[in-house]
Amino acid sequence: MSLNTQVGTWLDIGPVDQISPGNARTLPVRGGEEIAIFHTQDNQFYALVNKCPHKQGPLSQGIVHGSVVACPLHNWNISLKTGKALGNDEGCVPTIPLKVEAGRIFLLREAVIPVPTEAKAA
Amino acid sequence: MDFQDGIDPVTQDEDNVLPPLAEAREHLVVIGNGMAGCRAVEELLARDAGRYRVTIFGAEPYVNYNRIMLSPVLAGEKTFEQIVINDAAWYADNGIELIAGDPVRAIDRAAKTVSSQSGRTIGYDKLLIATGSDPFIIPVPGKDLPGVISFRDMKDVDTMLAAAADGGSAVVIGGGLLGLEAAHGLTLRGMKVTVIHLMDTLMERQLDEAAGWLLKTALEGRGQTILTGANTEAIYGDGKVEGVRLKDGRDIPASLVVMAVGIRPATALAREAGLAVNRGIQVDDHMVTSDPNVLAVGECVEHDGNVYGLVAPLWDMCRSLADGLTDQHSGYKGSVTSTKLKVAGLDVFSAGDFSGGEGCEDIVLRDASRGVYKRVIVKDDKLIGAVLYGDTVDGGWYFDLLKREENVADMRDMLIFGQAFASGGGALDPKAAVAALSDEAEICGCNGVSKGQVVSCIAKGAHSLDAVRATCKASASCGSCTGLVETLLALTLGEDVQSGPKTMCKCTSFTHDDVRREIVAQDMRSIPEVMQKLNWSTPEGCSSCRPALNYYLLCALPGEYQDDQRSRFVNERMHANIQKDGTYSVVPRMWGGLTNPRELRAIADVVEKYDAPMVKVTGGQRLDIFGIKKEDLPAVWADLNAAGMVSGHAYGKSLRTVKTCVGSEWCRFGTQDSTGLGVKIEHMTWGSWMPHKFKIAASGCPRNCAEATIKDFGVVCVDSGYELHVGGNGGIHVRATDLLCKVATEQEAMDYCAAFIQLYREEARYLERTAPWIERVGVDYVKGRIVADDAGREALRARFLFSQQFMQDDPWARRAAGEDAELHQHLAEVRPMEIIA
């Protein structure tokens, strides 16, 4: 994986066939939040922080139906497109911009990697 | 109604102040954001929504929640979110300004203003005081020590939960309703609880001595220590509470003391404002205080010499108050109260006057084997009181007779047997019982909804349980009256409702039974095929119907259907139990609860190698290893497999454990080899997927040490053979098994077991345990299929054993060998250079 430190760059996460349709896999981030990447049955890819807004359940382990994932802990339904809780529940989990190019998955680097504390202070 | 919205503590938001155009209306300021204050506003809105501009002050930083439901929150049966009555949207939608977390400190009646703790002063045209009550703190030394609390609000619950997390002992002072609920919750949370009660009878205001004794005995059976006639001398501790000393010298160590000896009306504010206050704030029939512009409602008031601490009178008061505020004066006439509650799963009911006295006749029924005690008190041919313990189904009917002061002379002989008998039917028909209730009869105690109100709301178009809950709120809080509401729906709408709702989920208009029948009839073979042929309204179903369909297909097509991992809940997909922190727990199978040094060494090695923070002995006689990461699961399973162990399926809607006692091999009372039988049954049944989890036990004699009579299938060995029991449950609703039959040989016990499991697998609905299934179809039906029909039983057994050929394949071994590895491995890991550096 290339770790380009330039702003506005995309991280190559690898080939699309690493995730079978209807499933999700995880991407831990050193110093940041673990990300869940979903491959829906209608062949779309989405990336979200792997934490339900309710009780931080790992969304990657939930049942995916349409573009929605049901959290494995308390069955909250979270939109994969917006990260928002659906139905009567309220809450939102950050989404990560994702693109698929030439059979590979890319995530927007700025959304994946936390701003280092030194940079924040400066 | 919507329980989920607006659950966060409400912050003060200046933007919420209403625009100036509202100033034209009279301003109603409510002190108290609790059950009384908000109910009064709801009643007012229902009559004339636009009439007043409303501001509500609340001392607690929350929206309006159901205080009587704090007990289930403490017990872990509900979350705070689930006990919210009105969410933030309700305040916003109705233009109500909520000032939460800022208690009112003073009322200036001359200037017609109130001032709050934060220094805000607001003018009013009408003021409503709904301050409720304060817990009564007995004046003993040590009452102010940290760790001594009351049981009144969310803060108290949070304190109790924090204390329970550390384990240890708790003392509850006060054996009334509140104290016993606190004790029950703390017991469930793992604390060792002692209840100290000054009187000789628990809940002496609601129960007579006999019922109080039954309650005490039952609570003691659940591990609580109950000290009646016990007088607290002091609470002691150095810097924090360490224990309680009684006047008779006894000393009870405790790290938490809950004082629940009673409540008193919160009248300080009213008293300082110069309003007439006796025991409570004095009000007339329209809930008006000594100042015509100041009203009061709820537990803080005294009406006609009475102070109430229950919820039903409060609803009555709120109705009269709202009538008065909208110029339709009806007048409050006082309330007759009843108490119906469940303490530790025990049903208790009382109503009216049961102190006895001249001219009173007692009619008593005791049924020792069922643990039932009933007493009704009749005076001048009228029912004046009732106490029920263990069986409270007729509570509502007695209460109705009592309130209507009906002449019961004609049915006096049958009265004690309950409505079904006394009304002449003889047979228990719950539908007829509900139909016979008067319109005023209360259906929903939590929200004060009468039968008439439910029926009129159904007549106005609420044709489903959800719709009734949304409109009149009946059964929307604790849900214990759901059955009554469903019966009213059936009675009001006739057959429409029966065949209508209760669909599998929102994706289909078919019921579970319809779908199952069609899967077989049309020989459907995949989830997409079912969704297509049965016109599913969603493309891929949802997290309710997908797992159900997967199971139904798996059951219908053993060996042919390809299990769909994506339609399984996380635990069944990962073959381990997910925990709240996202790690998993792993339970290897121990046949019949037997183990050996090799297995124990392998488990010990796994615990050390993978740094598992906890190992626990389960209720099903095996060991549970906690804190395993999903990446490590295959390696853990490989290690366990190497010692000969397979998946325990502790995570599945499947056969869980076969619990055994040591039986005739060791026990001097044992009549048969229950351990050996249990091991054989577990070898026959393990790996089978079911509608829900399934537990088995085999006891070697009627002492029943394996607790077989609260299992889905239980064997109790006797000298002459094997008693087979079915449909037990030790969970939320404890249910003892029904006796299926007695058989002579071990082989028959196993054959009947296999047949019973297959009947359950083929006919119960997904997520329906055997207990509710048997209650639904009746034990006679099950006996007809398993006991009376030899050929049918044999066919069921054969189908089960056929299916088991494909099921008994250890999923752990497959995963350990590398199958579905992507479910366990991360995709990659991002290591930003600036973080590493």
Side-chain angles (χ1 to χ4, degrees):
Chain A
M1 186 183 350
S2 100
L3 282 177
N4 195 330
T5 49
Q6 270 185 308
V7 179
T9 48
W10 293 85
L11 289 177
D12 182 348
I13 306 300
V16 292
D17 60 10
Q18 296 177 103
I19 313 173
S20 54
N23 281 319
R25 291 187 70 183
T26 45
L27 182 73
V29 179
R30 225 20 115 80
E33 298 280 11
E34 184 168 286
I35 293 166
I37 303 176
F38 294 85
H39 183 181
T40 61
Q41 295 195 43
D42 58 355
N43 231 14
Q44 300 297 308
F45 287 83
Y46 301 97
L48 282 75
V49 167
N50 193 22
K51 269 187 180 177
C52 181
H54 177 217
K55 301 268 182 183
Q56 287 75 54
L59 296 173
S60 59
Q61 308 296 84
I63 292 180
V64 181
H65 49 102
S67 59
V68 175
V69 62
C71 176
L73 292 194
H74 305 97
N75 209 30
W76 276 35
N77 279 307
I78 308 294
S79 162
L80 296 175
K81 292 178 179 172
T82 64
K84 281 193 179 139
L86 302 173
N88 293 327
D89 300 319
E90 270 190 13
C92 189
V93 56
T95 56
I96 318 291
L98 177 150
K99 66 174 181 181
V100 174
E101 256 177 35
R104 297 185 75 84
I105 303 166
F106 294 85
L107 298 182
L108 188 66
R109 189 178 186 284
E110 288 72 41
V112 173
I113 295 175
V115 181
T117 39
E118 297 88 347
K120 231 183 235 166
Chain B
M1 189 174 72
D2 181 352
F3 291 106
Q4 308 290 347
D5 283 347
I7 54 177
D8 297 324
V10 176
T11 49
Q12 294 161 30
D13 185 353
E14 294 298 333
D15 296 340
N16 276 345
V17 177
L18 283 178
L21 69 94
E23 296 295 331
R25 295 180 289 167
E26 279 197 291
H27 188 192
L28 172 68
V29 173
V30 182
I31 306 176
N33 186 37
M35 304 185 67
C38 284
R39 180 56 170 238
V41 172
E42 284 180 27
E43 291 284 349
L44 188 60
L45 292 173
R47 283 162 182 72
D48 192 348
R51 175 142 175 178
Y52 292 91
R53 173 160 84 90
V54 180
T55 301
I56 302 178
F57 277 92
E60 290 183 75
Y62 299 107
V63 293
N64 170 224
Y65 66 88
N66 191 339
R67 199 178 299 280
I68 42 182
M69 299 303 282
L70 283 175
S71 303
V73 174
L74 175 65
E77 291 154 3
K78 298 229 175 228
T79 61
F80 176 72
E81 291 87 328
Q82 289 171 318
I83 68 166
V84 166
I85 301 176
N86 288 304
D87 55 31
W90 175 79
Y91 295 90
D93 292 348
N94 291 295
I96 297 165
E97 184 183 0
L98 170 62
I99 302 170
D102 189 13
V104 170
R105 286 294 177 233
I107 302 167
D108 183 341
R109 291 197 288 127
K112 293 176 87 175
T113 60
V114 298
S115 349
S116 73
Q117 181 169 282
S118 71
R120 109 178 47 207
T121 297
I122 287 185
Y124 66 82
D125 297 301
K126 293 278 182 199
L127 180 67
L128 172 59
I129 304 178
T131 44
S133 52
D134 294 324
F136 182 67
I137 303 294
I138 51 171
V140 292
K143 68 180 165 58
D144 298 321
L145 280 171
V148 181
I149 57 164
S150 55
F151 183 22
R152 194 65 192 151
D153 55 28
M154 258 324 276
K155 200 171 100 243
D156 295 327
V157 172
D158 288 339
T159 309
M160 284 192 249
L161 292 181
D166 297 333
S169 303
V171 164
V172 176
I173 303 179
L177 167 56
L178 209 56
L180 294 181
E181 296 212 323
H184 175 52
L186 290 170
T187 305
L188 286 184
R189 294 284 183 176
M191 293 193 91
K192 189 179 172 304
V193 179
T194 303
V195 177
I196 297 176
H197 191 51
L198 184 60
M199 312 302 281
D200 290 327
T201 300
L202 287 178
M203 296 182 62
E204 76 283 352
R205 287 172 60 187
Q206 289 89 18
L207 297 182
D208 61 9
E209 199 186 339
W213 179 83
L214 282 166
L215 181 62
K216 176 170 182 270
T217 310
L219 292 175
E220 285 168 342
R222 276 151 213 228
Q224 296 176 21
T225 306
I226 312 276
L227 306 177
T228 49
N231 203 344
T232 305
E233 183 177 73
I235 301 170
Y236 63 88
D238 183 10
K240 63 177 179 49
V241 65
E242 288 165 12
V244 175
R245 194 163 48 244
L246 301 181
K247 287 238 163 90
D248 61 12
R250 277 183 287 181
D251 182 353
I252 304 138
S255 56
L256 176 76
V257 172
V258 181
M259 229 187 264
V261 289
I263 49 174
R264 43 171 57 170
T267 56
L269 204 56
R271 200 183 295 271
E272 281 159 27
L275 294 168
V277 173
N278 189 24
R279 278 200 298 155
I281 303 166
Q282 291 184 307
V283 292
D284 66 10
D285 289 353
H286 310 290
M287 315 316 291
V288 179
T289 67
S290 56
D291 177 335
N293 290 316
V294 181
L295 302 98
V297 73
E299 291 179 348
C300 62
V301 309
E302 177 177 330
H303 172 265
D304 201 16
N306 289 313
V307 171
Y308 296 97
L310 290 169
V311 71
L314 192 152
W315 304 148
D316 295 339
M317 288 182 201
C318 287
R319 282 190 273 271
S320 304
L321 172 101
D323 286 342
L325 279 177
T326 50
D327 303 323
Q328 312 161 26
H329 297 84
S330 57
Y332 175 64
K333 303 282 187 285
S335 299
V336 185
T337 57
S338 71
T339 312
K340 182 172 185 175
L341 63 130
K342 244 187 165 73
V343 180
L346 306 164
D347 290 309
V348 175
F349 173 90
S350 75
D353 178 5
F354 44 88
S355 54
E358 205 172 324
C360 291
E361 280 179 274
D362 279 328
I363 308 171
V364 174
L365 172 82
R366 288 173 196 269
D367 183 341
S369 63
R370 282 202 303 144
V372 169
Y373 168 81
K374 296 180 174 188
R375 173 174 164 225
V376 297
I377 301 94
V378 177
K379 188 176 183 181
D380 300 333
D381 288 336
K382 285 174 191 160
L383 187 73
I384 63 160
V387 181
L388 309 176
Y389 180 92
D391 175 1
T392 57
V393 287
D394 284 308
W397 181 62
Y398 289 131
F399 189 47
D400 194 37
L401 289 177
L402 191 149
K403 277 200 294 192
R404 288 191 288 125
E405 299 182 8
E406 193 158 306
N407 188 313
V408 296
D410 291 345
M411 51 176 154
R412 193 190 171 288
D413 292 346
M414 302 299 270
L415 197 58
I416 195 71
F417 298 110
Q419 178 175 20
F421 287 90
S423 306
L428 274 163
D429 177 1
K431 242 175 151 175
V434 176
L437 286 175
S438 72
D439 276 355
E440 291 77 42
E442 186 171 82
I443 298 295
C444 173
C446 293
N447 292 306
V449 189
S450 68
K451 177 185 165 189
Q453 287 168 300
V454 176
V455 169
S456 96
C457 136
I458 297 170
K460 284 177 193 154
H463 286 185
S464 71
L465 186 62
D466 280 347
V468 171
R469 286 176 174 172
T471 40
C472 72
K473 296 196 174 180
S475 82
S477 289
C478 81
S480 66
C481 61
T482 300
L484 283 176
V485 173
E486 284 176 337
T487 308
L488 284 174
L489 276 163
L491 285 168
T492 314
L493 300 174
E495 292 308 305
D496 293 353
V497 72
Q498 301 287 39
S499 57
K502 281 274 178 180
T503 60
M504 206 161 140
C505 66
K506 285 175 177 151
C507 303
T508 176
S509 55
F510 289 103
T511 65
H512 278 269
D513 297 343
D514 292 337
V515 171
R516 261 201 124 159
R517 189 188 58 240
E518 292 306 310
I519 284 175
V520 175
Q522 301 188 37
D523 189 28
M524 299 186 210
R525 299 193 156 248
S526 71
I527 292 177
E529 183 183 359
V530 176
M531 292 180 175
Q532 183 62 32
K533 289 194 169 156
L534 298 181
N535 303 311
W536 239 244
S537 64
T538 49
E540 294 167 19
C542 67
S543 55
S544 294
C545 59
R546 292 251 309 266
L549 293 180
N550 191 52
Y551 169 72
Y552 291 153
L553 288 160
L554 194 67
C555 180
L557 301 164
E560 294 178 53
Y561 176 68
Q562 181 67 41
D563 199 323
D564 180 20
Q565 293 288 315
R566 297 164 306 185
S567 298
R568 287 211 176 254
F569 291 122
V570 56
N571 289 355
E572 297 185 348
R573 192 173 349 109
M574 302 303 284
H575 295 286
N577 291 54
I578 196 166
Q579 303 298 322
K580 59 190 272 193
D581 66 351
T583 65
Y584 291 83
S585 84
V586 170
V587 185
R589 195 165 287 286
M590 286 181 175
W591 308 97
L594 299 181
T595 185
N596 57 46
R598 186 174 172 226
E599 290 180 351
L600 292 172
R601 274 193 200 98
I603 290 171
D605 288 344
V606 160
V607 171
E608 287 186 345
K609 186 168 165 188
Y610 300 95
D611 217 8
M614 185 165 95
V615 192
K616 190 186 174 305
V617 178
T618 71
Q621 300 184 335
R622 43 201 197 167
L623 291 167
D624 196 346
I625 308 164
F626 283 85
I628 304 292
K629 298 187 194 71
K630 73 172 179 188
E631 309 87 277
D632 289 337
L633 286 171
V636 166
W637 295 332
D639 289 357
L640 295 171
N641 281 160
M645 284 181 278
V646 298
S647 165
H649 292 81
Y651 48 79
K653 315 296 177 209
S654 57
L655 187 274
R656 293 282 177 91
T657 64
V658 181
K659 188 172 180 175
T660 65
C661 69
V662 289
S664 57
E665 197 184 347
W666 293 92
C667 179
R668 65 201 159 105
F669 299 117
T671 61
Q672 310 281 356
D673 177 16
S674 52
T675 324
L677 174 59
V679 171
K680 282 180 204 157
I681 290 178
E682 190 158 355
H683 275 289
M684 174 180 76
T685 55
W686 79 282
S688 58
W689 295 107
M690 312 252 197
H692 209 310
K693 59 186 171 186
F694 194 98
K695 300 178 181 180
I696 299 178
S699 282
C701 80
R703 286 170 189 76
N704 193 13
C705 295
E707 296 164 337
T709 48
I710 53 163
K711 300 292 183 244
D712 295 282
F713 185 86
V715 182
V716 176
C717 301
V718 290
D719 269 333
S720 53
Y722 304 81
E723 285 176 8
L724 308 181
H725 299 262
V726 294
N729 193 313
I732 299 173
H733 299 293
V734 179
R735 182 182 194 272
T737 44
D738 293 305
L739 178 65
L740 181 68
C741 63
K742 195 178 143 189
V743 296
T745 66
E746 199 173 81
Q747 187 58 50
E748 283 173 293
M750 297 195 41
D751 292 349
Y752 280 65
C753 174
F756 175 74
I757 290 177
Q758 188 64 12
L759 185 67
Y760 170 62
R761 295 183 74 232
E762 290 178 2
E763 301 196 355
R765 295 166 189 158
Y766 190 65
L767 295 186
E768 186 175 40
R769 290 289 299 269
T770 55
W773 170 59
I774 287 185
E775 300 223 324
R776 178 164 67 82
V777 301
V779 70
D780 289 340
Y781 169 76
V782 176
K783 284 181 181 169
R785 294 287 303 271
I786 305 290
V787 184
D789 179 359
D790 291 339
R793 177 180 67 247
E794 184 48 37
L796 281 165
R797 171 180 162 270
R799 287 205 292 280
F800 179 69
L801 296 183
F802 175 74
S803 159
Q804 283 296 85
Q805 291 175 32
F806 310 100
M807 302 286 182
Q808 294 194 326
D809 177 17
D810 179 26
W812 287 0
R814 296 201 305 271
R815 290 283 169 93
E819 189 180 289
D820 294 325
E822 76 281 357
L823 290 181
H824 296 279
Q825 289 163 1
H826 293 304
L827 209 47
E829 186 180 349
V830 180
R831 297 178 197 147
M833 283 194 243
E834 56 268 48
I835 301 261
I836 293 168

